[in-house]
Amino acid sequence: MPKMLPLTPATGEMRRPRAVRFALSLLFGITLLAGAPALQAEDGYQLWLRYAAPGAASATASPGISQLVAIADSPVQKATQHELQRGLQALSGAAPVGAKTVTRAGGLLVGTPASSPQIARLGLDLDGLGREGYRIRSAVVDGHATTVVAANEDVGALYGAFHVLRLLQTGQPLRDLDIHETPRIAVRVLNHWDNLDRYVERGYAGQSIWDWHRLPGWLDPRYTDYARANASIGINGTVLNNVNANAEVLTPMYLDKVAAIAGMLRPYGMKVYLSARFSAPMEIGGLATADPLDAGVQRWWKTKADEVYALNPDFGGFLVKANSEGQPGPQDYGRSHADGANMLADAVAPHGGIVMWRAFVYSDEEPVDRAKQAYNEFVPLDGTFRDNVLVQVKNGAIDFQPREPFHPLFGAMPKTPLMMEFQITKEYLGFSTHLAYKAPLYEEVLDADTEVQGPGSTVARVIDGSLDGHALTGIAGVANIGSDRNWSGSHFDQANWYAFGRLAWNPDLASRDIAAEWTRMTFSNDPAVVEPVVGMMMASREAVVDYTGALGLHHVMGRGHHYGPGPWVEGGPRADWTSVYFHRADANGIGFDRTRRGSDAVSQYAPPVAEIFDDVARTPEEFLLWFHHVPWNHPMRSGRPLWDELVLRYDRGVGTVRDMRATWAGLDGRIDAERHAQVAAFLAIQQDEAQWWRDASIAYFQSISGLPLPAGVAPPPHPLGYYKALEFPHAPGDTQ
Ligand code: BDP
């Protein structure tokens, strides 16, 4: 111990007497091993940062943390120290102790060579860890068994601290550790589709957490908890406002508010970004045009960028939805997406900012095949974007459906860094009440092989930059966060936020492992909880695919709000906003012919992939009706005709939900009552709605196919007209 004296932390406190130090050792020591999980009522606010003692079930676990050294000079260091104190105190079940009492040496040593002479002395190899990476190493420091978290920069140490807390929470031993972690993707951001009046587009968790009206005077402590949660999973940025942007966010009044939020998030390694409305120079700048080649417009954006950065020096940059679904953009002036993106990129470049330019575009004229449009518009622009532009591409070519093949743009623009856009919120997967764990969806897309440079050219390797040698890389998740006490609208929806962050950090993680990790931290380490809950989660997304429309069906939900079934939706302003456009069912068959004989969307994929998708016999059955129009009696691998198979999938989906519900009921008493009850209630809603989806879809498609139901299958209880007549004018998403 004496050797540690010089390490008295920068808080400048005096060394505590030996007896007190011993007491602290006990405080963070043995108690970590003991105690059964307490089943106190919980409302979900703590997310996966509950820091509940891992419990007797994991008695193999940690030898405990005897003492903590984490220097607390800079804001990031302070955040790190606070989190460790909070976590270690809660995990040990000890009464809270003051900040200064735990800044002593031993046990857990966290920092950088610059912040900690002791870490510097260890001489650990930190090469290749970059700014955000870290090492966790079991070592003997001054005669004490110590877990060392070492990084090049403070933010790396913060991430490493969260890693240690995760190990403790999941009941893993802090022994023989030699962990190297670096994020594979540089820009890992949430996209909030939040309006300035706090309405959240496609949000199912209450209002926006950004309390614009009371900012900057009132800094809701919730912003810090938001930042903690994000930092714990490595999310390093957030776009505060909706891609359907309001130019007002760029006015001085709002920029002050933005800077205030940025100040709250900065200590947790998070940057703030804004969605920019392309016509802002006209709307708030008084210019007559927003033409990106107009010198006055260019000047306006440069001045605006200077103003933003003066208030917020590490502002991340702009996200832009242009010439899509009625949004203004460079094409309004006969210019290209690259012209628009480059103008904004030039404005933020002097400040180190980036532009994330969305590829979710489809023209206002009636399209041949909407799935082809983004590729057609963007591929010719490859190589023409500035270095600080990322093109942000949704995971699939239509729109966040329960299942889509990977977007053909991935791999098709090698000279341009493409960033992934996933949806965390469940616009098409049952809003907040349906349990649908989306990590298997993310994983399926990330693992998909574009084959553009031969086998192994996965989507993950496109977006992590390794396939084409890009250093600027990114991934975005459309947030499911709101003012609800549990943040995400449902307890299980928290897992989608969590999984997004974990996969953004390392796209090779397995969704099952992430589910287990999350379950342990969120509910319990008890294997009698972890196994069934992970089982439910892993089955859940496929269940949604089954009961909403399997085998490659897509875009068959209610119009506008996207709530519930609507395979009959037709007419209206444009064909590609209807279900019949996408499923093309008629008396002879069903499916969208995207083969070379049809819309030829298959040719947007690299030849080996195109060959497969073009061939009805080789197309994976989950994408059959995405790429092929086939007769109702098309033979499936099961030996059944397509019609029977489709009907049975609807039934299978409902059956999986029934099983999930029974599994959850069996966990009564092992999960705190408050959360258990809400999940149970939501599963009941899900079962009813899965049944509704199944009944309505079968009623509709049977009216088209004219075929009898397979033997033993129950007919829908109501005639088709009943389902078609249902209306939900106030469902979330119906207005604004
Ligand atoms: C669709 C949503 C719509 C979004 C749009 C987008 O229904 O609310 O504005 O995508 O991503 O999924 O721009």
Side-chain angles (χ1 to χ4, degrees), residues 193 201-202 242-244 321 324-325 327 358 360 362 370 394 398-401 421 423 427-428 478 560 562:
W193 286 358
E201 182 158 337
R202 310 305 177 186
N242 193 351
V243 287
N244 296 320
K321 171 175 177 176
S324 167
E325 299 184 329
Q327 293 297 314
R358 295 178 89 226
F360 178 69
Y362 51 98
R370 179 171 141 186
K394 287 189 182 181
I398 297 298
D399 194 11
F400 298 138
Q401 300 302 296
E421 179 175 324
Q423 199 177 48
E427 176 181 355
Y428 298 99
V478 179
H562 301 164

Coordinates of all heavy atoms in Angstrom, one line a residue, residues 193 201-202 242-244 321 324-325 327 358 360 362 370 394 398-401 421 423 427-428 478 560 562, ligand 1:
W193 N -36.2 10.7 -34.2 CA -37.1 11.3 -35.1 C -38.0 12.2 -34.3 O -39.3 12.0 -34.3 CB -37.9 10.2 -35.9 CG -37.1 9.5 -37.0 CD1 -35.8 9.8 -37.3 CD2 -37.5 8.5 -37.8 NE1 -35.4 9.0 -38.4 CE2 -36.5 8.1 -38.7 CE3 -38.7 7.8 -38.0 CZ2 -36.6 7.1 -39.7 CZ3 -38.8 6.8 -38.9 CH2 -37.8 6.5 -39.8
E201 N -41.9 11.1 -34.3 CA -42.4 10.3 -35.4 C -42.0 8.9 -35.3 O -40.9 8.5 -35.0 CB -41.8 10.9 -36.7 CG -42.3 10.2 -38.0 CD -42.2 11.1 -39.2 OE1 -42.1 12.3 -39.1 OE2 -42.1 10.5 -40.3
R202 N -43.0 8.0 -35.4 CA -42.8 6.6 -35.2 C -42.3 6.2 -33.8 O -41.5 5.3 -33.6 CB -41.9 6.0 -36.3 CG -42.2 6.3 -37.7 CD -43.6 6.0 -38.0 NE -44.0 6.4 -39.4 CZ -45.2 6.3 -39.9 NH1 -46.2 5.8 -39.2 NH2 -45.4 6.7 -41.1
N242 N -35.8 15.1 -35.9 CA -36.3 14.3 -36.9 C -35.7 14.6 -38.3 O -35.4 15.7 -38.6 CB -37.8 14.6 -37.0 CG -38.6 13.7 -37.8 OD1 -38.1 12.8 -38.5 ND2 -39.9 13.8 -37.8
V243 N -35.5 13.5 -39.1 CA -35.0 13.7 -40.4 C -36.0 14.5 -41.3 O -35.6 15.1 -42.2 CB -34.7 12.3 -41.1 CG1 -33.5 11.7 -40.6 CG2 -35.9 11.4 -41.0
N244 N -37.3 14.4 -41.0 CA -38.2 15.3 -41.6 C -38.1 16.6 -40.7 O -38.8 16.9 -39.8 CB -39.6 14.8 -41.5 CG -39.8 13.5 -42.3 OD1 -39.2 13.4 -43.4 ND2 -40.5 12.5 -41.8
K321 N -32.1 14.3 -44.9 CA -33.1 13.6 -45.8 C -33.5 14.6 -46.8 O -34.2 15.6 -46.6 CB -34.3 13.2 -44.9 CG -35.5 12.6 -45.8 CD -36.6 12.1 -44.8 CE -37.8 11.6 -45.6 NZ -38.8 11.0 -44.7
S324 N -36.9 13.3 -50.7 CA -37.5 12.0 -50.4 C -38.8 12.3 -49.6 O -38.8 13.2 -48.7 CB -36.6 11.2 -49.4 OG -37.2 10.1 -48.8
E325 N -39.9 11.7 -50.0 CA -41.2 11.9 -49.4 C -41.5 13.4 -49.2 O -41.9 13.8 -48.1 CB -41.2 11.1 -48.0 CG -41.0 9.6 -48.2 CD -41.1 8.8 -46.9 OE1 -40.8 9.4 -45.8 OE2 -41.5 7.7 -47.0
Q327 N -39.6 16.0 -49.0 CA -38.6 16.9 -48.4 C -37.8 17.6 -49.5 O -37.5 17.1 -50.6 CB -37.6 16.1 -47.5 CG -38.2 15.5 -46.3 CD -38.7 16.5 -45.3 OE1 -38.0 17.5 -45.0 NE2 -39.9 16.3 -44.9
R358 N -28.8 10.8 -46.4 CA -29.6 9.6 -46.5 C -29.9 9.1 -47.9 O -30.1 10.0 -48.8 CB -30.9 9.7 -45.8 CG -30.7 9.9 -44.3 CD -32.0 10.2 -43.6 NE -32.7 8.9 -43.2 CZ -33.9 8.7 -43.3 NH1 -34.7 9.5 -44.0 NH2 -34.5 7.6 -42.8
F360 N -32.4 7.0 -48.5 CA -33.8 6.6 -48.5 C -34.5 7.6 -49.4 O -35.1 8.5 -48.9 CB -34.3 6.6 -47.1 CG -35.8 6.2 -47.0 CD1 -36.2 4.9 -47.3 CD2 -36.8 7.1 -46.6 CE1 -37.5 4.5 -47.3 CE2 -38.1 6.8 -46.6 CZ -38.5 5.5 -46.9
Y362 N -37.1 8.0 -52.9 CA -37.8 7.4 -54.1 C -38.6 8.5 -54.7 O -39.1 9.4 -54.0 CB -38.7 6.2 -53.7 CG -39.6 6.4 -52.5 CD1 -40.9 6.7 -52.8 CD2 -39.2 6.2 -51.2 CE1 -41.8 6.8 -51.7 CE2 -40.0 6.4 -50.2 CZ -41.4 6.7 -50.4 OH -42.2 6.8 -49.3
R370 N -40.0 0.5 -56.6 CA -39.4 1.4 -55.6 C -38.1 0.8 -55.0 O -37.2 1.6 -54.6 CB -40.5 1.6 -54.5 CG -40.0 2.5 -53.4 CD -41.1 2.8 -52.4 NE -40.6 2.8 -51.1 CZ -41.4 3.0 -50.0 NH1 -42.7 3.2 -50.2 NH2 -40.9 3.0 -48.8
K394 N -30.6 2.5 -45.5 CA -31.4 1.6 -44.6 C -31.0 0.2 -44.9 O -30.5 -0.1 -46.0 CB -32.9 1.8 -44.9 CG -33.4 3.1 -44.3 CD -35.0 3.2 -44.4 CE -35.5 4.5 -43.9 NZ -36.9 4.7 -44.0
I398 N -36.7 -1.4 -49.1 CA -38.0 -0.8 -49.0 C -38.1 0.1 -47.7 O -38.0 1.3 -47.7 CB -39.1 -1.9 -49.0 CG1 -39.1 -2.5 -50.4 CG2 -40.5 -1.3 -48.8 CD1 -39.4 -1.6 -51.6
D399 N -38.3 -0.5 -46.5 CA -38.4 0.3 -45.4 C -38.6 -0.4 -44.1 O -39.7 -0.6 -43.6 CB -39.7 1.2 -45.6 CG -39.7 2.4 -44.6 OD1 -38.7 2.6 -43.9 OD2 -40.7 3.1 -44.5
F400 N -37.5 -0.9 -43.5 CA -37.6 -1.4 -42.1 C -38.6 -2.5 -41.9 O -39.2 -2.6 -40.8 CB -37.8 -0.3 -41.1 CG -36.7 0.8 -41.1 CD1 -37.1 2.1 -41.0 CD2 -35.4 0.4 -41.1 CE1 -36.1 3.1 -40.9 CE2 -34.4 1.4 -41.1 CZ -34.7 2.7 -41.0
Q401 N -38.9 -3.3 -42.9 CA -39.9 -4.4 -42.7 C -39.3 -5.4 -41.8 O -38.1 -5.5 -41.5 CB -40.1 -5.0 -44.1 CG -40.7 -4.0 -45.1 CD -42.0 -3.4 -44.7 OE1 -43.0 -4.0 -44.5 NE2 -41.9 -2.1 -44.4
E421 N -28.3 2.2 -41.6 CA -29.4 2.8 -40.8 C -30.3 1.6 -40.4 O -31.0 1.0 -41.3 CB -30.2 3.9 -41.6 CG -31.3 4.4 -40.8 CD -32.0 5.6 -41.5 OE1 -31.4 6.4 -42.2 OE2 -33.3 5.7 -41.4
Q423 N -33.6 0.5 -37.8 CA -34.6 1.1 -37.0 C -34.7 0.3 -35.7 O -34.8 -0.9 -35.7 CB -36.0 1.0 -37.7 CG -37.0 2.0 -37.1 CD -38.3 2.0 -37.9 OE1 -38.9 1.0 -38.2 NE2 -38.8 3.2 -38.2
E427 N -41.7 0.4 -35.8 CA -42.7 0.9 -36.7 C -43.5 -0.2 -37.3 O -44.7 -0.2 -37.5 CB -42.1 1.8 -37.7 CG -43.1 2.3 -38.7 CD -42.4 3.2 -39.8 OE1 -41.2 3.5 -39.6 OE2 -43.1 3.6 -40.7
Y428 N -42.8 -1.2 -37.8 CA -43.4 -2.3 -38.5 C -43.4 -3.7 -37.7 O -43.7 -4.7 -38.3 CB -42.7 -2.5 -39.9 CG -42.8 -1.4 -40.8 CD1 -41.7 -0.5 -40.9 CD2 -43.9 -1.1 -41.6 CE1 -41.7 0.6 -41.7 CE2 -43.9 0.0 -42.4 CZ -42.9 0.8 -42.5 OH -42.9 1.9 -43.4
V478 N -32.5 4.2 -35.5 CA -33.6 5.2 -35.3 C -34.1 4.8 -33.9 O -34.6 3.7 -33.6 CB -34.7 5.0 -36.3 CG1 -35.8 6.0 -36.0 CG2 -34.1 5.3 -37.7
G560 N -50.7 4.4 -43.4 CA -50.3 5.6 -42.6 C -49.7 5.3 -41.3 O -48.5 5.5 -41.1
H562 N -49.4 2.4 -40.0 CA -48.7 1.1 -40.0 C -49.1 0.2 -38.9 O -48.4 -0.7 -38.6 CB -47.2 1.3 -40.2 CG -46.8 2.1 -41.3 ND1 -45.6 2.7 -41.5 CD2 -47.5 2.4 -42.4 CE1 -45.5 3.3 -42.6 NE2 -46.7 3.2 -43.2
Ligands
BDP1 C1 -40.6 5.6 -43.0 C2 -41.4 6.2 -41.9 C3 -41.5 7.7 -42.0 C4 -40.0 8.2 -42.2 C5 -39.3 7.6 -43.3 C6 -37.9 8.0 -43.4 O1 -42.7 5.7 -42.1 O2 -42.1 8.2 -40.9 O3 -40.0 9.6 -42.3 O4 -39.4 6.2 -43.2 O5 -37.1 7.1 -43.0 O6 -40.2 4.4 -42.4 O7 -37.5 9.0 -43.8

